[in-house]
Amino acid sequence: VLAVGSAVAVKIGQMTGIKPAAQKSGQIGERVPADRERTDLDQHRIDGGKGQGKDRHGGSGSPADRREKWERFWERRNPLPQTPVNEYRDQFFQRVRYATEAFREAGGRAGWATDRGEVYIVLGPPDHAVERFIGRQDISGQPNAVEWLYTAVPGGRMNLLFYDRTGFGRFELVPSSASAFRTVAERMKPRLRD
């Protein structure tokens, strides 16, 4: 289970000097060169898309202090601490990398910073996805809505509707879906080991 709290900010590399184990891109099994991986990870900042505040785990102190805070952050979330790999961290970065590429928006907005990217990072891939035309007579061209169905989230099933109000490919959660997602994301926050 992977969860990202809205106040959690991740900016590995520049801030912490931590270089995660080899990450995979969106393609299963595809390796990313180490130099590209470092550059990609330096760009990732997850804080609910608001860009507010400093990082809870790396915003102050010496580089060694920040590195230690980040190591504790990831270790507390490690589902199998007896193994050399932190599966939680690896899964997180795989999802961030996939979301960055798959949900990139026109105008250069990184995919991880979009509503679809945030949902993907927190919940993983949907069990079913359907493109829809909502409120349009003309169904030629690109759909203006995407619906994701998750069949096994805390509380049961969940449908999320992403709607492109502008016509420029910026899919945002409709308010009822945003509320449902926030509720599930809160329930998924890891119970941390001390």
Side-chain angles (χ1 to χ4, degrees), residues 90-181:
D90 286 354
Q91 182 183 50
F92 174 82
F93 283 109
Q94 287 171 9
R95 288 181 181 181
V96 168
R97 185 172 312 288
Y98 180 82
T100 297
E101 297 300 321
F103 307 120
R104 182 177 312 275
E105 291 180 349
R109 187 172 181 203
W112 62 264
T114 67
D115 284 358
R116 289 186 296 169
E118 181 181 3
V119 170
Y120 186 90
I121 291 166
V122 174
L123 300 178
D127 296 309
H128 302 283
V130 179
E131 293 181 333
R132 300 197 181 281
F133 294 89
I134 296 179
R136 288 178 28 188
Q137 298 294 348
D138 178 18
I139 59 170
S140 63
Q142 295 295 321
N144 65 344
V146 177
E147 185 176 13
W148 286 2
L149 170 65
Y150 289 91
T151 58
V153 295
R157 289 172 53 108
M158 180 173 60
N159 283 47
L160 298 175
L161 183 64
F162 301 89
Y163 182 63
D164 177 15
R165 287 185 281 258
T166 65
F168 291 106
R170 185 173 182 165
F171 290 89
E172 297 176 334
L173 283 168
V174 299
S176 60
S177 291
S179 177
F181 168 64

Side-chain angles (χ1 to χ4, degrees), residues 46-69:
I46 309 297
D47 65 358
K50 310 280 188 289
Q52 299 172 349
K54 287 194 168 205
D55 294 336
R56 232 177 42 175
H57 300 283
S60 62
S62 71
D65 290 342
R66 290 191 305 264
R67 180 182 175 94
E68 183 180 325
K69 288 176 187 178

